[in-house]
Amino acid sequence: MRVGVIGAGVMGSGVAQALAQSGLSVVVVDIDQAKLEHTRAEIANQLRFRALFGSSEKVEAAEQIMGRIQFTTEHQMLADVNFVIENATENWEVKRGIYELIDDICREDCIFMINTSCISITKLAAVTSRASQVIGTHFMNPVPLKKTVEVIRGYYTSDECIRAVEELLGLMGKEMILVNDYPGFVSNRISHLFMNEAAFVVQDQVATAEEVDDIFKKCYGHAMGPLETADLIGLDTVVHSLHVLYESYQDPKFRCCPLLQKMVDAGLHGKKSGQGFYTY
Ligand code: NAD
């Protein structure tokens, strides 16, 4: 089995690593050659670290796992894959362009798995000629460590497609929770309200980012606070998602906090840029 991974950013990198670790052959496609090089080095590092410290059971050598991953800027390399897991930028125009392109390139029986925070699965499926084989797979970050995936059934997604995706996720050691398609699904429809309101709290000087996060961790027992989570996701991705939720529901409760927008405009994209609500 061969799996195509589109996008070599935060999520594409984790998805490619998780697939290769599970013995699958992977081709990673990104438009940015420098990003591909960075991701190749990043995955190799993660795998070396895992081999040294990760587990008491014997794990396969990093070099062997890396041998199963190809990196390319050519979408044409997706012609023979069984599944595409798309992790490109959270932007409608970007994703629409990709689906129009790969619908022509990929085999007819290839399944398209959309990794998106908020964009409607049904709407993206509609730009392809295979809506029954298009499904949402909202992976959690960091992908190799998270055991559960929020899977989204689009309007036309077939039961056969859902079963095939469940099997693939099973090979990756992951289980799924299946939900229906409305923008943001379950996880992000709720969590983006938390993260956005937490940013308003900091903007209004009610509390610092550390204090907001501590209330969630120490009082509610959450593993991470909303602003640490926003930094981990990427503030640019959070802002993109809020815009999608706002436009999709036409509901002002999703209006993006001006502080968040200002941070993104200033290049503070969270952990991946070295600076967000925290310094990395
Ligand atoms: P990112 O910004 O880190 O990476 C996106 C990558 O897509 C970039 O490397 C970019 O060069 C590439 N790209 C853009 N256009 C492309 C094209 N036409 N072909 C191939 N590659 C292209 O973003 P990310 O955080 O990895 O998020 C990717 C997707 O996963 C988004 O839809 C996001 O909402 C979703 N998601 C993110 C998280 C998270 O924690 N970051 C969690 C779950 C889902």
Side-chain angles (χ1 to χ4, degrees), residues 10-11 30 35 75 87 90 95 115 117 138-139 233:
V10 175
M11 296 308 286
D30 201 293
K35 200 62 168 277
H75 291 81
N87 316 266
E90 181 75 352
K95 290 201 191 270
N115 189 10
S117 298
H138 179 225
F139 285 87
I233 293 172

Side-chain angles (χ1 to χ4, degrees), residues 29 107 110 154 157 170 184 234 249:
V29 186
R107 288 160 45 153
C110 177
T157 308
Y249 291 104

Side-chain angles (χ1 to χ4, degrees), residues 166-178:
E166 189 168 24
E167 237 171 74
L168 176 67
L169 294 176
L171 290 177
M172 297 169 75
K174 299 191 191 302
E175 60 171 354
M176 65 182 222
I177 298 174
L178 182 65

